[in-house]
Amino acid sequence: MTKATQHAHFLVQAHLASLGTNSYVAIDATVGNGFDTVFLAQCVGETGLVIGFDVQDMSSATQYLVQAGLHHRVRLLQRGHETLLQSLKEVCPPDQMLPHVQAIMFNLGYLPHGDKSLTTRTETTYAALQQSAQILASGGILTVICYPAHDGGGEETEAVLAWAKKMPSSEYGVIHTKVLNKHGVPPELLVVYKY
Ligand SMILES: C[S@@+](CC[C@H](N)C(=O)[O-])C[C@H]1O[C@@H](n2cnc3c(N)ncnc32)[C@H](O)[C@@H]1O
């Protein structure tokens, strides 16, 4: 369980299971090829909903969801996660409240073997995290995988951690992990629990 992605999945799955219902709303803030989207679609249950964001084409993710038979649980939006709040208002019927979101996952950086110009950026990531903390339900979990090794990734990681450190401890529990016994600059995982 040393990969940051596996660790994030393990924590989100365990956390949702501990909440004890079988219908959740979750957000995949960085859909990419859809691995986290499929994972969340499995977690939310038959009547749950996953809303996914990415700035690039998500046909691979769509194909993966269809193959997994989970497409009906997911709404994919090709737009930046910094539009999170506005997008949720658009997705929800005008007479309904914003959904209670029990899990939000960010996997920052760029798609491996993809277009590196389509990487997440400090400013938009920061805006999306602020909105995520607001929209996250009480009892919800937020995970962020940061990649300090790539260009701009160090600055983005620092900004994410600085944001997390300032969260009021009466409202949020914040945990930061990274693998210590590997060469190079490993990904880091931030986990935020909203009380
Ligand atoms: C590391 S990849 C995500 C991998 C993905 N979770 C998966 O399972 O394949 C990061 C993704 O963030 C996307 N991205 C970049 N800027 C974004 C933004 N402002 N809003 C949403 N997604 C963004 C990239 O296009 C890329 O697909």
Side-chain angles (χ1 to χ4, degrees):
M1 190 71 60
T2 56
K3 276 188 81 177
T5 44
Q6 285 176 331
H7 196 186
H9 283 199
F10 176 77
L11 293 175
V12 169
Q13 192 171 28
H15 190 72
L16 288 180
S18 77
L19 294 180
T21 66
N22 53 13
S23 176
Y24 302 104
V25 178
I27 291 175
D28 184 351
T30 49
V31 168
N33 287 326
F35 297 114
D36 298 316
T37 324
V38 165
F39 161 74
L40 284 171
Q42 285 162 342
C43 289
V44 293
E46 186 53 31
T47 53
L49 172 69
V50 180
I51 302 168
F53 291 83
D54 203 306
V55 288
Q56 61 180 297
D57 172 77
M58 288 174 278
S59 41
S60 306
T62 304
Q63 209 179 341
Y64 189 27
L65 283 160
V66 170
Q67 275 167 7
L70 294 166
H71 191 233
H72 60 289
R73 299 185 188 178
V74 179
R75 178 96 193 259
L76 295 179
L77 305 173
Q78 189 175 356
R79 54 179 91 166
H81 42 220
E82 62 278 12
T83 68
L84 184 69
L85 266 180
Q86 186 55 40
S87 296
L88 287 192
K89 284 180 194 158
E90 285 170 33
V91 168
C92 298
D95 56 335
Q96 276 187 19
M97 290 190 5
L98 290 182
H100 285 281
V101 179
Q102 282 89 8
I104 306 179
M105 299 186 80
F106 286 77
N107 189 349
L108 300 178
Y110 53 83
L111 265 185
H113 316 297
D115 182 349
K116 290 189 183 173
S117 72
L118 295 175
T119 191
T120 55
R121 303 196 185 281
T122 302
E123 204 176 299
T124 41
T125 299
Y126 185 82
L129 288 174
Q130 295 268 55
Q131 294 171 40
S132 296
Q134 201 179 323
I135 199 75
L136 193 64
S138 182
I141 182 170
L142 162 71
T143 62
V144 188
I145 299 174
C146 303
Y147 297 87
H150 73 76
D151 269 0
E155 177 204 291
E156 186 181 40
T157 303
E158 276 177 31
V160 168
L161 296 180
W163 168 79
K165 275 185 197 161
K166 284 198 203 132
M167 302 189 89
S169 59
S170 55
E171 292 174 52
Y172 301 94
V174 179
I175 295 170
H176 170 214
T177 62
K178 64 178 171 184
V179 176
L180 292 179
N181 60 345
K182 260 191 173 175
H183 290 300
V185 186
E188 302 186 19
L189 172 63
L190 175 76
V191 187
V192 175
Y193 295 96
K194 189 164 178 176
Y195 299 138

